[in-house]
Amino acid sequence: HVLLYAIECYEGMKVYRDSSDKLRLFRPKLNMKRFHESCERLCLPAFSQEALLRCIEDLVRLDGDWVPRQKGYSMYMRPVAFSTTPWLGLTQCSEAMIFVLLSPVGPYFKSGFQAIKLAVEEKHIRAWPGGVGAAKCGGNYAPTVLPQIEAARAGCSQALFCYGKDQIVTEAGTMNIFFLWVNEDGEEELITPWLDDGCILPGITRLSVIELCKSWGEFKVTEQAVKLAPLLKASEEGRLLECFGTGTAAVIQPVKSLTYEGKEYTLPIAATGEASGPIAMRVMQQLGDIQNGEVEHEWSHVID
């Protein structure tokens, strides 16, 4: 069933070790909720979110010695659910399995915090309204390998996926995406694609960035349908101030340019050579402090 019809989904989480040697998860209840929703979309059997989180806590206690002690390191955790239905017909699965993979991981940026270039994907579409873009299932990711290869050939690190005649922006590679600009009304605003059309993954890091930036009260924060053309126009007019991706692996990934139809639209950090804009850097620092227990916060889940 799983090999033929890709009836599977998964989650991405990390276990962090703080300076007091305590082990921490970052907003794990949201991962359990999203995992459950992905299973529902693929007609995989329901499970108890609370029970699975308790199992994960027990697993971390059992294998806690594998969580690195070096700063910037963590233990990547991947809960997986897949159909084990023992026949070939395409039907709702009759049985399934959940297991959790663990792997120690080092810093995402091997040579330091660095900005990347994005290539606007003009041909291949990652997700569309009515599809499964909001579910974390493997079928969303395998088809994006070719666009990523083509982006690399164009001198970029990731593809920026869009859909429709208005070229609605969805995700960048496997990341959610944010843009800080001065909008047409002269307001400084942080915008990110909305969840309304079901095309993007409801990222836990994404939500945390939204809530963190709103708590600052320093600029407008908006979830909306993000069209490509206004972004390119803003870049040409010097109103596109920052761009960054978000996700479990990198947390924050600064972007220095967008390439579209052979033309490169640059962000201010492309000219200064800085690794990140000030907002992306500030968010990265504050989220890192919470995840690593440097500051006490309700988002950090301590495993006793």
Side-chain angles (χ1 to χ4, degrees), residues 35-37 39-40 43-49 81 92-93 96 98:
F35 193 29
H36 193 271
E37 290 170 350
C39 285
E40 283 186 330
C43 297
L44 286 161
F47 62 88
S48 167
Q49 298 176 47
Q92 179 178 348
C93 73
I98 290 178

Side-chain angles (χ1 to χ4, degrees), residues 16-231:
Y16 303 88
R17 188 184 297 277
D18 67 20
S19 58
S20 300
D21 216 33
K22 293 179 181 177
L23 300 177
R24 297 172 177 263
L25 299 172
F26 182 70
R27 310 190 78 174
K29 291 182 180 179
L30 294 181
N31 289 100
M32 297 301 98
K33 178 176 181 291
R34 186 173 66 181
F35 193 29
H36 193 271
E37 290 170 350
S38 295
C39 285
E40 283 186 330
R41 179 62 181 85
L42 295 171
C43 297
L44 286 161
F47 62 88
S48 167
Q49 298 176 47
E50 295 78 12
L52 180 57
L53 181 54
R54 288 197 300 270
C55 289
I56 286 173
E57 290 172 340
D58 285 343
L59 177 61
V60 171
R61 293 186 188 102
L62 181 66
D63 284 339
D65 287 345
W66 287 95
V67 181
R69 286 176 165 76
Q70 301 99 312
K71 187 174 179 59
Y73 288 66
S74 59
M75 173 86 84
Y76 190 82
M77 178 181 293
R78 176 154 288 184
V80 181
F82 64 95
S83 172
T84 55
T85 302
W87 56 73
L88 298 180
L90 178 56
T91 59
Q92 179 178 348
C93 73
S94 62
E95 57 187 57
M97 178 180 289
I98 290 178
F99 64 86
V100 181
L101 300 170
L102 299 174
S103 175
V105 292
Y108 187 79
F109 304 97
K110 302 298 185 297
S111 55
F113 200 40
Q114 293 184 345
I116 64 170
K117 298 180 179 182
L118 296 180
V120 177
E121 178 53 55
E122 304 170 46
K123 179 181 177 183
H124 304 286
I125 299 173
R126 177 194 173 274
W128 50 90
V132 291
K136 197 169 180 66
C137 57
N140 282 338
Y141 296 92
T144 67
V145 174
L146 177 59
Q148 299 289 61
I149 292 172
E150 293 176 347
R153 288 173 180 161
C156 299
S157 298
Q158 300 276 3
L160 180 64
F161 293 102
C162 305
Y163 76 86
K165 64 179 182 180
D166 290 328
Q167 293 178 294
I168 305 298
V169 174
T170 56
E171 295 189 5
T174 59
M175 301 181 292
N176 293 124
I177 190 75
F178 285 80
F179 302 92
L180 181 69
W181 70 350
V182 177
N183 63 28
E184 295 282 2
D185 296 324
E187 303 170 300
E188 189 169 319
E189 180 182 30
L190 183 68
I191 61 173
T192 192
W194 59 8
L195 302 177
D196 298 39
D197 60 9
C199 288
I200 70 166
L201 193 71
I204 284 82
T205 309
R206 170 191 179 275
L207 177 63
S208 302
V209 170
I210 291 170
E211 293 177 347
L212 196 60
C213 290
K214 282 184 175 180
S215 74
W216 297 346
E218 297 173 11
F219 45 78
K220 191 174 181 180
V221 180
T222 308
E223 299 173 72
Q224 65 181 52
V226 177
K227 297 180 180 180
L228 179 65
L231 293 175

